[in-house]
Amino acid sequence: MDYDAIIIGTGQAGPALARRLVATGRKVAIVERKLFGGTCVNTGCTPTKALIASAYAAHVARRAADYGVTIGGALKVDMKAVKARKDAIVGAWRNGVERSLKTLTGCTVYEGHARFAGPKELQVGNEALTADKIFINVGGRALAPPIPGLDRVPYLTNSSMMDVDVLPRHLIVLGGSYVGLEFAQVYRRFGSEVTVIERAPRLVAREDEDVSRAIADILMEEGIDIRVNSQVVEVEMRGNDVAVTIESGARSQVAGSHLLMAIGRTPNTDDLGLDKAGIATDERGYIRVDDQLRSNVPGIWALGDCNGRGAFTHTSWNDFEIVAANLLDNDPRRVTDRINAYALYTDPPLGRAGMTEAEVRKSGRPALIATMAMADVSRAIEKGETKGFMKILVDKDTKQILGASLLGLSGDEVIHCILDVMYAKAPYTVMQRAMHIHPTVSEFIPTMLGDLVPLQ
C-alpha cells in the first residue's frame, strides 16, 4: 500500500499530525502496536495524575481537623476503587484517540509492529507500506539498568505500576527524580511505608540545591525514608521481600514488599529496523534530528521522546507543531525556539521555566534574583498549604526573565504567567505593573519582582 505519509505511533504528536495531513488531502497511514494514546494516556500523565488526585484526597482527609472538619472512624483507602477510577479515566482517553483515528477520513489505521524495510518502506505484519514521508513517534520506556540480581527479582516500572490494585506494605523506589518522587508520595499517602534510594548527593539533582532540599524536607515530613549518596550494589530475594543492598560509605540493606524502578528512560527504537533505512541514532538509541526534527534520511522525521529533544508530553506536542509548521504552513519553527519548562507533580508541585539559579551563575551574566516563601502568600495560608517557596531570576541589563522555580501551591499553573512573558521577550516590568486578581498565588509575582536584588 502506497501512502503520502506514514506515522508510527499514536502518542501525543502522531494523531494531531495525522489530522493536519489529511486536512490537506494527503493519504495517511498510522501504525499502533499496542495502546492508542502512547505513554501520556496509558502509563504517564493521565493515570499518574489520577492517582495523585486520590492520594491528595486521602492526605486532606487525614488533615481534616486542621480545617475544623471531623471525620468519624478510621480513614481507609480502597486500592481497587482507586485503580478503577484511574482505569476509567485512562480508558475514556485511550478509546477516544482510537475512535478519532479510525473514523478519520483519509487515514488508515494499522495495528501491529512497524519495522523499516528501507528508507521509504515499512513492514507491518504481512502488510508492506510505502510513503515518501515517514514520521516516527514511538516514545520510550522505563530503563532497567545493569544492577546485579535485578533479573532474578520481581520489580515494577511506571507501566506495570498501573496494574497494581493492592497497597504495598513497603515500596522501595530506585531513583529520586521526577517519576520516582511522584510515586513515592502517592503510595506514602495511600498508607505504604516508602524508601527512596538515589545515588546522587541529593534528590532531583538537575534542580537548584535549595529546591532539592525543600522537596526532600516535604517528603521526609510525610514519613518517606530518603537515602541519597546511595549506590545500589545488588538486589535479591529475602523470603517474600526484595532486599536492596546499598553502598553509602558503609554497606546496608533495605527490604521491602515491592520494588519500583524509576532510574531513567530509554527510547523504543531498538526494534524498528532503523539500520534498514540508514537512520542514525546516538549512543543511547535516540534518533538524531536537526532543529526542525528531520533525521539524517530525507523524508523521515522523529517526534516525541524517541528523539531525545524532550521527555514530556508538551515537548512531543510542540514537536508536532514544529513539523506541521515547517511542512504545511511555510513557518520555519525550530526546537531551539522553545523555552525549557516542566513540572514535578509532588504536592506541592514544582513549576519550572528557563534557567536554574546554578545555570545563571555558570553563564556569568549579571542577574537579579527574588524569592518568597509560600508561608507569606495569603492564598496559601487560607488553603492551609504553605510549604515551599518561589524564586525568579532576571537579566540585569535586558530586564528579561531568565528563569523561575515555583515550589508551592499551584506552582505548576502559576509558572505559565512567567513563561508567557519570557516568550514575549518582554521586560519583567510588564508583569510587575500588571494588576493580578486577589487572592491568588500569581498576584505575588509582581510583588516579588519589586524586591529583586543582585545575584551574588
Side-chain angles (χ1 to χ4, degrees):
M1 295 293 294
D2 186 45
Y3 293 91
D4 297 312
I6 302 171
I7 301 167
I8 311 172
T10 62
Q12 191 70 14
L17 183 59
R19 287 189 283 271
R20 283 297 314 271
L21 290 171
V22 298
T24 64
R26 288 172 168 85
K27 182 182 176 184
V28 176
I30 191 164
V31 186
E32 176 53 60
R33 69 174 181 175
K34 194 175 182 183
L35 300 175
F36 286 82
T39 297
C40 177
V41 167
N42 295 288
T43 62
C45 314
T46 299
T48 57
K49 277 47 185 182
L51 292 175
I52 286 169
S54 293
Y56 178 75
H59 178 65
V60 173
R62 290 190 186 96
R63 297 182 56 215
D66 294 347
Y67 299 91
V69 176
T70 300
I71 298 177
L75 178 70
K76 295 181 180 179
V77 176
D78 183 342
M79 292 303 298
K80 286 182 170 52
V82 167
K83 181 179 181 296
R85 175 182 182 271
K86 179 265 297 178
D87 288 346
I89 294 169
V90 169
W93 280 108
R94 180 170 59 234
N95 294 338
V97 173
E98 181 176 359
R99 184 171 57 252
S100 69
L101 289 172
K102 289 183 174 179
T103 57
L104 181 61
T105 303
C107 179
T108 302
V109 175
Y110 289 86
E111 296 186 63
H113 192 122
R115 293 178 177 86
F116 281 92
K120 306 285 186 184
E121 184 178 349
L122 290 169
Q123 194 74 29
V124 183
N126 295 324
E127 300 277 359
L129 314 180
T130 60
D132 286 334
K133 294 179 174 60
I134 298 176
F135 305 90
I136 306 171
N137 178 223
V138 295
R141 63 186 185 275
L143 178 67
I147 297 172
L150 188 60
D151 58 340
R152 297 189 298 274
V153 303
Y155 64 87
L156 297 159
T157 67
N158 69 293
S159 296
S160 56
M161 205 76 184
M162 296 301 106
D163 298 324
V164 174
D165 64 355
V166 297
L167 181 67
R169 175 176 47 79
H170 182 177
L171 177 65
I172 300 175
V173 180
L174 298 190
S177 197
Y178 306 92
V179 173
L181 297 186
E182 289 180 18
F183 276 115
Q185 188 180 45
V186 161
Y187 278 88
R188 179 59 188 154
R189 288 182 168 186
F190 285 156
S192 298
E193 183 181 350
V194 177
T195 300
V196 175
I197 299 172
E198 169 58 49
R199 68 177 180 179
R202 53 191 176 86
L203 300 180
V204 283
R206 70 184 288 181
E207 306 300 339
D208 287 324
E209 288 190 29
D210 53 354
V211 173
S212 174
R213 186 167 54 250
I215 291 170
D217 289 344
I218 289 166
L219 297 179
M220 287 189 294
E221 189 176 325
E222 293 192 21
I224 297 173
D225 182 13
I226 305 289
R227 310 282 186 96
V228 294
N229 266 323
S230 298
Q231 180 70 40
V232 176
V233 176
E234 182 185 19
V235 294
E236 60 185 341
M237 294 304 298
R238 197 174 76 188
N240 292 325
D241 282 354
V242 180
V244 181
T245 301
I246 56 177
E247 181 78 51
S248 182
R251 285 201 175 190
S252 60
Q253 196 173 71
V254 181
S257 59
H258 294 72
L259 177 67
L260 171 64
M261 299 299 302
I263 289 180
R265 306 281 292 173
T266 189
N268 292 325
T269 57
D270 52 330
D271 195 19
L272 287 177
L274 297 181
D275 56 321
K276 298 286 184 66
I279 299 170
T281 61
D282 66 14
E283 64 281 357
R284 297 174 61 196
Y286 291 99
I287 297 172
R288 295 185 184 275
V289 293
D290 65 13
D291 209 18
Q292 294 176 328
L293 302 168
R294 295 172 292 221
S295 76
N296 64 303
V297 179
I300 299 178
W301 290 256
L303 302 84
D305 293 4
C306 68
N307 64 27
R309 302 298 293 269
F312 304 100
T313 294
H314 52 275
T315 52
S316 182
W317 177 264
N318 188 245
D319 284 357
F320 145 67
E321 292 181 316
I322 290 169
V323 169
N326 280 275
L327 195 62
L328 306 175
D329 303 330
N330 195 30
D331 180 0
R333 292 178 64 173
R334 303 169 299 172
V335 175
T336 49
D337 290 336
R338 65 191 181 202
I339 296 168
N340 189 36
Y342 55 88
L344 164 63
Y345 290 96
T346 50
D347 176 35
L350 169 68
R352 281 275 296 107
M355 302 171 75
T356 62
E357 180 182 338
E359 289 169 338
V360 173
R361 290 183 184 278
K362 187 176 180 180
S363 74
R365 71 180 73 191
L368 306 173
I369 187 171
T371 61
M372 176 176 285
M374 293 302 296
D376 294 329
V377 175
S378 56
R379 181 65 168 160
I381 295 169
E382 292 151 6
K383 289 182 69 71
E385 301 186 18
T386 56
K387 295 176 182 177
F389 69 99
M390 300 186 288
K391 173 168 59 174
I392 303 176
L393 292 123
V394 170
D395 187 294
K396 183 178 180 182
D397 297 330
T398 67
K399 292 183 170 55
Q400 291 184 8
I401 298 173
L402 298 173
S405 300
L406 309 183
L407 175 64
L409 175 66
S410 302
D412 54 326
E413 293 284 354
V414 178
I415 195 68
H416 289 90
C417 69
I418 295 172
L419 188 61
D420 291 344
V421 171
M422 293 175 70
Y423 271 110
K425 299 187 187 312
Y428 74 87
T429 50
V430 170
M431 184 182 295
Q432 190 181 18
R433 295 183 180 188
M435 182 183 72
H436 285 201
I437 296 168
H438 174 80
T440 61
V441 177
S442 299
E443 69 173 315
F444 281 84
I445 303 300
T447 303
M448 287 177 65
L449 292 169
D451 295 327
L452 288 164
V453 296
L455 180 65
Q456 300 297 330

